[in-house]
Amino acid sequence: MEELKQFLQANESVKYIRLQWLDYSGVLRARFVPTARCLAIASGRETACMAQSGMLVPISTAPKIFSLSDYHETWFLRPDWSSLRTCGLKAGHGTVMSFVDQKDAKTRFDKCPRKLMVRALEQFEKQWDAQILIGFEIEFVLLDGSNNVVKPLDRLDGYSRTAGLRAGTLDLVEEIIEALERSSIKIHHFHAELSNQLEIALAPEPALAAVDSLVLAQETIRTICIRRDIKATLSPKPTFTGPSNGLHLHLSLSRPGCVPADAFITGVLDHMDSLCAFGMANYDSYGRSVSDCAGAWIGFGTDNRDLPVRKISDWHWEFRMMDSTANPYLFAGAVLLAALDGLEREIGSSWKDCKFFPDMMDEKMRAEYGIEKRMPSSLKEALDCLKNNADLTTCIGDELLTWFISVKDKEVVEFGKWTDEQRRVRFIEYY
């Protein structure tokens, strides 16, 4: 209550607050609530409810719900008022991220991705007395109303070239950056990534705040562009011939202390095939299981973008097995729990720092670096790995996993019946 009051006193122009959450498909959802009612919710006099469909709608069946229950459930939104911030994309609005709370759950918040991440962070910080910092690289492509790449005279044409950022596109990106700054989101840089593709990299923040910033940054990119009659898509496969979009997570420690980096990264690599189910969380995500994207082989290497984990320094890694179809709270939480499993087991790493192109190494050479297992080539394969991963499923919890996997299993079946173009258009619509 005090946090909300202080926020409203400092931001008198705010009339509405968006109570936001992400469903199991990584789709942002929100209730736009007048500030007077927000005060009633914060005081406990009112409760914010949400429909059952607020968590359980597969993209392939939307708006049709897919639930494991044979009755209508009651779900509540529990705003985390410490995440309050002004909404830089719309004057008079604020945003707050919410936990999701099922009324009849066996354990409170046992199906909430955001709560999973909080629990993982609390466990890590308690055991290792270190704070995790996270930043994201957001890749996106600009499309017109017919879902074709926008073709201005000044075309985006290649990695970090100034071509494409000499005229209107630069003005567009600057407008996005200014909106992010009004939301207290700092950027690391922006640039042209590949042909027809842009990237905005967010500055590192404490982990939970960083994911909150990502959610608002993605919505800001989409909103500012749509106001200019341009569709910004973060979909992993926006076109058939152009670049794929990733969403890379950078993780570092502010106080490494005695945390053994080898055990940390070994935990992640040991569970990599299962983690892909959370990070590359939809049918067409696995076109990125190739070199210079998420990687074709499981391993890590210093400045090696052909593997899913790029080492930048002793305590700074880039996780490349993520795209916009992920629920980032669930993905980040799962990565941390996998790392904690490695720290608990304290086993020596079977992986060595690989600076070579894995596809150009022979079998013997790959084995010397521990690179013996390929990345999953489909969502079904990743889900099968997750279902058979007893250690990680125990860490995450049966209730959340059962519901998440049920949604994703439905996606595998339904999207397998669609054409490539039908899926492309649907993913553009949602991501």
Short mmCIF file of all heavy atoms in Angstrom, two decimals, residues 50-79:
data_model
loop_
_atom_site.label_atom_id
_atom_site.label_comp_id
_atom_site.label_asym_id
_atom_site.label_seq_id
_atom_site.Cartn_x
_atom_site.Cartn_y
_atom_site.Cartn_z
N MET A 50 -8.88 -13.04 -12.64
CA MET A 50 -8.67 -13.17 -14.08
C MET A 50 -9.37 -14.44 -14.55
O MET A 50 -9.60 -15.37 -13.78
CB MET A 50 -7.19 -13.21 -14.42
CG MET A 50 -6.45 -14.47 -14.01
SD MET A 50 -4.76 -14.46 -14.63
CE MET A 50 -4.26 -16.14 -14.24
N ALA A 51 -9.69 -14.47 -15.83
CA ALA A 51 -10.35 -15.64 -16.39
C ALA A 51 -9.36 -16.81 -16.47
O ALA A 51 -8.15 -16.62 -16.55
CB ALA A 51 -10.88 -15.31 -17.77
N GLN A 52 -9.91 -18.00 -16.44
CA GLN A 52 -9.10 -19.21 -16.56
C GLN A 52 -8.25 -19.18 -17.83
O GLN A 52 -7.12 -19.68 -17.86
CB GLN A 52 -10.03 -20.42 -16.58
CG GLN A 52 -9.34 -21.77 -16.59
CD GLN A 52 -10.35 -22.91 -16.54
OE1 GLN A 52 -11.55 -22.67 -16.62
NE2 GLN A 52 -9.88 -24.12 -16.40
N SER A 53 -8.79 -18.56 -18.87
CA SER A 53 -8.08 -18.49 -20.15
C SER A 53 -6.86 -17.57 -20.08
O SER A 53 -6.07 -17.52 -21.02
CB SER A 53 -9.02 -17.99 -21.25
OG SER A 53 -9.55 -16.71 -20.90
N GLY A 54 -6.68 -16.86 -18.97
CA GLY A 54 -5.56 -15.96 -18.84
C GLY A 54 -4.21 -16.63 -18.76
O GLY A 54 -3.17 -15.98 -18.85
N MET A 55 -4.18 -17.95 -18.56
CA MET A 55 -2.92 -18.68 -18.52
C MET A 55 -2.85 -19.83 -19.51
O MET A 55 -1.77 -20.26 -19.89
CB MET A 55 -2.68 -19.26 -17.11
CG MET A 55 -2.36 -18.23 -16.05
SD MET A 55 -0.82 -17.32 -16.35
CE MET A 55 0.41 -18.59 -16.08
N LEU A 56 -3.99 -20.33 -19.97
CA LEU A 56 -4.04 -21.67 -20.56
C LEU A 56 -4.53 -21.70 -21.99
O LEU A 56 -5.17 -22.66 -22.41
CB LEU A 56 -4.93 -22.56 -19.69
CG LEU A 56 -4.49 -22.69 -18.23
CD1 LEU A 56 -5.60 -23.29 -17.39
CD2 LEU A 56 -3.24 -23.54 -18.13
N VAL A 57 -4.21 -20.69 -22.79
CA VAL A 57 -4.65 -20.68 -24.18
C VAL A 57 -3.46 -20.96 -25.09
O VAL A 57 -2.59 -20.11 -25.26
CB VAL A 57 -5.29 -19.33 -24.56
CG1 VAL A 57 -5.73 -19.36 -26.01
CG2 VAL A 57 -6.46 -19.02 -23.67
N PRO A 58 -3.38 -22.14 -25.71
CA PRO A 58 -2.33 -22.36 -26.71
C PRO A 58 -2.51 -21.42 -27.89
O PRO A 58 -3.65 -21.11 -28.28
CB PRO A 58 -2.54 -23.82 -27.13
CG PRO A 58 -3.35 -24.44 -26.03
CD PRO A 58 -4.21 -23.33 -25.50
N ILE A 59 -1.41 -20.97 -28.46
CA ILE A 59 -1.51 -20.08 -29.62
C ILE A 59 -2.24 -20.76 -30.77
O ILE A 59 -2.96 -20.14 -31.53
CB ILE A 59 -0.09 -19.65 -30.07
CG1 ILE A 59 0.64 -18.94 -28.93
CG2 ILE A 59 -0.16 -18.73 -31.28
CD1 ILE A 59 -0.07 -17.74 -28.38
N SER A 60 -2.07 -22.07 -30.89
CA SER A 60 -2.65 -22.82 -32.00
C SER A 60 -4.17 -22.95 -31.90
O SER A 60 -4.83 -23.17 -32.92
CB SER A 60 -2.04 -24.22 -32.07
OG SER A 60 -2.23 -24.90 -30.84
N THR A 61 -4.73 -22.84 -30.71
CA THR A 61 -6.18 -22.99 -30.55
C THR A 61 -6.87 -21.70 -30.16
O THR A 61 -8.10 -21.67 -30.04
CB THR A 61 -6.51 -24.05 -29.47
OG1 THR A 61 -6.05 -23.59 -28.19
CG2 THR A 61 -5.85 -25.38 -29.80
N ALA A 62 -6.11 -20.64 -29.91
CA ALA A 62 -6.68 -19.38 -29.43
C ALA A 62 -7.80 -18.91 -30.36
O ALA A 62 -7.69 -19.02 -31.58
CB ALA A 62 -5.59 -18.32 -29.36
N PRO A 63 -8.91 -18.40 -29.78
CA PRO A 63 -9.13 -18.09 -28.36
C PRO A 63 -9.65 -19.27 -27.53
O PRO A 63 -10.00 -19.09 -26.38
CB PRO A 63 -10.16 -16.98 -28.42
CG PRO A 63 -10.99 -17.34 -29.62
CD PRO A 63 -10.01 -17.91 -30.62
N LYS A 64 -9.67 -20.47 -28.10
CA LYS A 64 -10.18 -21.63 -27.37
C LYS A 64 -9.22 -22.02 -26.26
O LYS A 64 -8.02 -22.16 -26.48
CB LYS A 64 -10.38 -22.81 -28.32
CG LYS A 64 -11.00 -24.03 -27.66
CD LYS A 64 -11.18 -25.16 -28.68
CE LYS A 64 -11.77 -26.39 -28.01
NZ LYS A 64 -11.93 -27.52 -28.97
N ILE A 65 -9.75 -22.20 -25.08
CA ILE A 65 -8.93 -22.55 -23.92
C ILE A 65 -8.62 -24.05 -23.94
O ILE A 65 -9.35 -24.86 -24.51
CB ILE A 65 -9.68 -22.18 -22.61
CG1 ILE A 65 -8.76 -22.34 -21.40
CG2 ILE A 65 -10.93 -23.01 -22.46
CD1 ILE A 65 -9.39 -21.85 -20.11
N PHE A 66 -7.49 -24.39 -23.33
CA PHE A 66 -7.14 -25.80 -23.16
C PHE A 66 -6.76 -26.00 -21.70
O PHE A 66 -5.76 -25.47 -21.23
CB PHE A 66 -5.97 -26.19 -24.06
CG PHE A 66 -5.54 -27.61 -23.90
CD1 PHE A 66 -6.33 -28.64 -24.38
CD2 PHE A 66 -4.37 -27.94 -23.24
CE1 PHE A 66 -5.94 -29.97 -24.22
CE2 PHE A 66 -3.98 -29.25 -23.08
CZ PHE A 66 -4.77 -30.28 -23.58
N SER A 67 -7.58 -26.74 -20.97
CA SER A 67 -7.36 -26.90 -19.54
C SER A 67 -7.38 -28.37 -19.15
O SER A 67 -8.03 -29.20 -19.80
CB SER A 67 -8.44 -26.16 -18.75
OG SER A 67 -8.29 -26.38 -17.36
N LEU A 68 -6.67 -28.69 -18.08
CA LEU A 68 -6.67 -30.05 -17.55
C LEU A 68 -7.82 -30.27 -16.58
O LEU A 68 -8.10 -31.40 -16.19
CB LEU A 68 -5.35 -30.33 -16.83
CG LEU A 68 -4.09 -30.32 -17.69
CD1 LEU A 68 -2.87 -30.58 -16.84
CD2 LEU A 68 -4.18 -31.34 -18.81
N SER A 69 -8.49 -29.20 -16.17
CA SER A 69 -9.57 -29.31 -15.19
C SER A 69 -10.90 -29.53 -15.89
O SER A 69 -11.12 -29.08 -17.02
CB SER A 69 -9.65 -28.04 -14.34
OG SER A 69 -8.46 -27.88 -13.59
N ASP A 70 -11.80 -30.19 -15.19
CA ASP A 70 -13.16 -30.38 -15.72
C ASP A 70 -14.14 -29.42 -15.07
O ASP A 70 -15.35 -29.64 -15.08
CB ASP A 70 -13.61 -31.84 -15.52
CG ASP A 70 -13.52 -32.30 -14.06
OD1 ASP A 70 -13.18 -31.46 -13.21
OD2 ASP A 70 -13.79 -33.49 -13.80
N TYR A 71 -13.59 -28.35 -14.47
CA TYR A 71 -14.45 -27.33 -13.87
C TYR A 71 -13.81 -25.96 -14.11
O TYR A 71 -12.64 -25.85 -14.47
CB TYR A 71 -14.62 -27.56 -12.38
CG TYR A 71 -13.32 -27.48 -11.59
CD1 TYR A 71 -12.89 -26.28 -11.00
CD2 TYR A 71 -12.51 -28.61 -11.43
CE1 TYR A 71 -11.70 -26.22 -10.30
CE2 TYR A 71 -11.32 -28.55 -10.72
CZ TYR A 71 -10.92 -27.36 -10.16
OH TYR A 71 -9.74 -27.29 -9.47
N HIS A 72 -14.59 -24.91 -13.93
CA HIS A 72 -14.09 -23.54 -14.12
C HIS A 72 -13.31 -23.12 -12.87
O HIS A 72 -13.86 -23.07 -11.77
CB HIS A 72 -15.24 -22.57 -14.39
CG HIS A 72 -15.84 -22.75 -15.75
ND1 HIS A 72 -15.24 -22.27 -16.89
CD2 HIS A 72 -16.98 -23.36 -16.15
CE1 HIS A 72 -15.98 -22.57 -17.94
NE2 HIS A 72 -17.05 -23.24 -17.52
N GLU A 73 -12.05 -22.82 -13.06
CA GLU A 73 -11.19 -22.47 -11.94
C GLU A 73 -11.28 -20.98 -11.64
O GLU A 73 -11.70 -20.18 -12.47
CB GLU A 73 -9.74 -22.81 -12.27
CG GLU A 73 -9.53 -24.28 -12.62
CD GLU A 73 -8.38 -24.46 -13.58
OE1 GLU A 73 -7.81 -23.45 -14.02
OE2 GLU A 73 -8.05 -25.61 -13.88
N THR A 74 -10.86 -20.61 -10.44
CA THR A 74 -10.76 -19.21 -10.04
C THR A 74 -9.29 -18.85 -9.90
O THR A 74 -8.55 -19.51 -9.17
CB THR A 74 -11.49 -18.97 -8.71
OG1 THR A 74 -12.86 -19.32 -8.85
CG2 THR A 74 -11.38 -17.50 -8.30
N TRP A 75 -8.88 -17.84 -10.64
CA TRP A 75 -7.49 -17.36 -10.61
C TRP A 75 -7.48 -15.90 -10.16
O TRP A 75 -8.38 -15.12 -10.52
CB TRP A 75 -6.84 -17.47 -11.99
CG TRP A 75 -6.58 -18.87 -12.46
CD1 TRP A 75 -7.52 -19.80 -12.83
CD2 TRP A 75 -5.31 -19.49 -12.65
NE1 TRP A 75 -6.91 -20.95 -13.22
CE2 TRP A 75 -5.55 -20.80 -13.13
CE3 TRP A 75 -3.99 -19.07 -12.46
CZ2 TRP A 75 -4.51 -21.69 -13.43
CZ3 TRP A 75 -2.96 -19.96 -12.77
CH2 TRP A 75 -3.22 -21.25 -13.23
N PHE A 76 -6.47 -15.53 -9.39
CA PHE A 76 -6.32 -14.15 -8.93
C PHE A 76 -5.00 -13.57 -9.45
O PHE A 76 -4.02 -14.30 -9.65
CB PHE A 76 -6.29 -14.09 -7.40
CG PHE A 76 -7.53 -14.62 -6.74
CD1 PHE A 76 -7.52 -15.84 -6.08
CD2 PHE A 76 -8.72 -13.91 -6.80
CE1 PHE A 76 -8.65 -16.34 -5.47
CE2 PHE A 76 -9.87 -14.40 -6.19
CZ PHE A 76 -9.83 -15.62 -5.53
N LEU A 77 -5.01 -12.25 -9.65
CA LEU A 77 -3.78 -11.51 -9.90
C LEU A 77 -3.33 -10.90 -8.58
O LEU A 77 -4.11 -10.26 -7.89
CB LEU A 77 -4.01 -10.39 -10.93
CG LEU A 77 -4.36 -10.80 -12.35
CD1 LEU A 77 -4.63 -9.57 -13.19
CD2 LEU A 77 -3.23 -11.62 -12.96
N ARG A 78 -2.06 -11.12 -8.25
CA ARG A 78 -1.49 -10.54 -7.03
C ARG A 78 -0.38 -9.58 -7.45
O ARG A 78 0.76 -9.99 -7.69
CB ARG A 78 -0.92 -11.63 -6.13
CG ARG A 78 -1.90 -12.76 -5.81
CD ARG A 78 -3.08 -12.29 -4.99
NE ARG A 78 -3.91 -13.43 -4.55
CZ ARG A 78 -5.07 -13.31 -3.94
NH1 ARG A 78 -5.56 -12.11 -3.70
NH2 ARG A 78 -5.74 -14.39 -3.58
N PRO A 79 -0.70 -8.28 -7.62
CA PRO A 79 0.31 -7.33 -8.10
C PRO A 79 1.51 -7.25 -7.17
O PRO A 79 1.36 -7.22 -5.94
CB PRO A 79 -0.44 -6.00 -8.14
CG PRO A 79 -1.89 -6.37 -8.19
CD PRO A 79 -2.02 -7.64 -7.40
#
